[in-house]
C-alpha cells in the first residue's frame, strides 16, 4: 500500500481547488509507504512544498523495488507539508492506531478529529465495507475531506472492486459534497474521489434499491452530482 505520483497530482488539485484550506490533521486508512513514482516526482514535490509553504525535505530516492519493506513511510511527507499525522491499521502495524476495519468502532477521542482522511489501497481488502466506510466517516471532522483511490477493474487485487455508482450513493445518502470524482484507466482501472462531510449525523450504509422502497433514513435530498472528469 502506498502513495504514487497520481496521489501527488490529486493532492495538488485539492489544494488548488481550496479544498484543503485550514486542514491540519490527516489520518491514513492503512499505514502507507512512498512509492518509486512518488519519490521520482521531483517536479510535483517541489510544487507541493511551495503550495503548502514549507521547506523541502529529503524523503529518499526510488529503490526500484516499489513498496517493498524498504520503501520509506509516508509520515515524513505529511509532516513536511505541515500536517499532524496519524494512521489506522490492523494490530498497530507500523506504529499505527490499532483498528480492525471489519469490526472495530472509532474511539471517542478520535471521532471527528481529522481534516483529511485518506483511503488508498486499503478498503478493497476489507470484507465489511459498511464498517470500513463508517470508520472513515467517524474519523472525519465536520467540513473535513475523505479521499479514496480504489480499484475499479482489477482481476485479482483485494476483495472488492468499486463503481462510480457506489460513491454516488455514498455521497447522496450521507449528504456529502462531491469535490471531484474521476477515473484513471492507465493499466489497472481506479476511481479517485474526494468527498466533504457536511452534516453531524451517523453514517448511513449505501443502499441501491428503487426510491419507492427506500427506508426513510436513506432519503436525503439529492445534491448536484458533478460529472466524472479526468483532471489534468
Amino acid at each position: 500500500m502506498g502513495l504514487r505520483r497520481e496521489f501527488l497530482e490529486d493532492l495538488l488539485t485539492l489544494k488548488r481547488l481550496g479544498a484543503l484550506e485550514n486542514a491540519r490533521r490527516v489520518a491514513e486508512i492503512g499505514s502507507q509507504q512512498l512509492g518509486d513514482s512518488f519519490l521520482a516526482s521531483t517536479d510535483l514535490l517541489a510544487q507541493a512544498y511551495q503550495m503548502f509553504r514549507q521547506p523541502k525535505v529529503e524523503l529518499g530516492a526510488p529503490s526500484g523495488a516499489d513498496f517493498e519493506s524498504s520503501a520509506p513511510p509516508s509520515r515524513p511527507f505529511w509532516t513536511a507539508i505541515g500536517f499532524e499525522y496519524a494512521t489506522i491499521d490492523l494490530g498497530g502495524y507500523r506504529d499505527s492506531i490499532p483498528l480492525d476495519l471489519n469490526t472495530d468502532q472509532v474511539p471517542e477521542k478520535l471521532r471527528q478529529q481529522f481534516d483529511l482522511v485518506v483511503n488508498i489501497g486499503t478498503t478493497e481488502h476489507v470484507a465489511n465495507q459498511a464498517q470500513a466506510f463508517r470508520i472513515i466517516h467517524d474519523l472525519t471532522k465536520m467540513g473535513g475531506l475523505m479521499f479514496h483511490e480504489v480499484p475499479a477493474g482489477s482481476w485479482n487485487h483485494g476483495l472488492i472492486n468499486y463503481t462510480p455508482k457506489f460513491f454516488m450513493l455514498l455521497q447522496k445518502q450521507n449528504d456529502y459534497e462531491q469535490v471531484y470524482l474521476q477515473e484513471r484507466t492507465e493499466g489497472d482501472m481506479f476511481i479517485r474521489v474526494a468527498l466533504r462531510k457536511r452534516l453531524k449525523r451517523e453514517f448511513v450504509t449505501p443502499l441501491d434499491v428503487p426510491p419507492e422502497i427506500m427506508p426513510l433514513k436513506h432519503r436525503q435530498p439529492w445534491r448536484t452530482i458533478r460529472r466524472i472528469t479526468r483532471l489534468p
Side-chain angles (χ1 to χ4, degrees):
M1 298 184 292
L3 308 184
R4 297 177 173 85
R5 179 180 175 89
E6 291 82 4
F7 175 72
L8 265 178
E9 294 171 346
D10 290 331
L11 185 69
L12 294 176
T13 297
L14 292 173
K15 185 67 172 173
R16 291 188 192 101
L17 292 172
L20 296 176
E21 289 304 310
N22 302 314
R24 295 292 179 266
R25 301 190 74 194
V26 61
E28 287 182 332
I29 305 301
S31 183
Q32 303 295 320
Q33 296 170 278
L34 302 180
D36 279 357
S37 67
F38 184 103
L39 294 170
S41 298
T42 54
D43 55 337
L44 298 184
L45 285 168
Q47 291 180 46
Y49 294 127
Q50 182 178 25
M51 292 178 71
F52 284 93
R53 299 181 180 179
Q54 298 293 330
K56 178 183 176 181
V57 301
E58 181 56 48
L59 298 173
S63 67
D66 214 13
F67 300 132
E68 295 296 329
S69 59
S70 59
S74 60
R75 180 191 296 267
F77 168 71
W78 287 111
T79 56
I81 60 171
F83 279 88
E84 181 182 341
Y85 172 86
T87 181
I88 307 296
D89 214 323
L90 188 65
Y93 181 59
R94 290 203 194 108
D95 195 29
S96 61
I97 298 167
L99 280 182
D100 185 335
L101 297 176
N102 273 311
T103 58
D104 287 346
Q105 303 289 331
V106 174
E108 190 62 36
K109 66 180 181 180
L110 295 177
R111 291 176 68 90
Q112 300 190 62
Q113 292 300 305
F114 296 95
D115 305 291
L116 174 62
V117 179
V118 177
N119 167 37
I120 296 179
T122 300
T123 56
E124 67 265 29
H125 300 284
V126 178
N128 189 344
Q129 292 289 291
Q131 189 58 19
F133 281 85
R134 179 177 291 108
I135 285 173
I136 292 169
H137 175 94
D138 289 346
L139 289 168
T140 307
K141 279 183 177 180
M142 289 292 301
L145 208 64
M146 297 159 280
F147 177 84
H148 307 277
E149 180 182 320
V150 292
S154 297
W155 174 250
N156 196 33
H157 176 78
L159 304 175
I160 303 293
N161 276 285
Y162 296 86
T163 64
K165 186 176 186 180
F166 174 88
F167 287 101
M168 288 180 178
L169 292 178
L170 179 72
Q171 174 196 342
K172 176 185 177 183
Q173 293 169 17
N174 286 280
D175 203 18
Y176 297 149
E177 174 192 359
Q178 184 188 117
V179 178
Y180 69 80
L181 171 65
Q182 61 173 319
E183 296 173 299
R184 177 166 67 86
T185 56
E186 301 85 2
D188 289 337
M189 293 178 61
F190 287 88
I191 293 172
R192 292 143 70 182
V193 57
L195 302 170
R196 188 179 303 283
K197 182 178 177 180
R198 297 194 291 197
L199 298 178
K200 188 176 181 180
R201 51 171 290 181
E202 291 300 311
F203 177 75
V204 175
T205 304
L207 188 61
D208 186 19
V209 298
E212 60 269 20
I213 64 169
M214 182 74 73
L216 287 175
K217 68 177 182 178
H218 290 76
R219 296 180 187 177
Q220 300 304 317
W222 182 268
R223 305 287 180 174
T224 300
I225 296 289
R226 300 183 183 185
R227 298 180 64 187
I228 299 174
T229 58
R230 289 182 173 83
L231 298 180

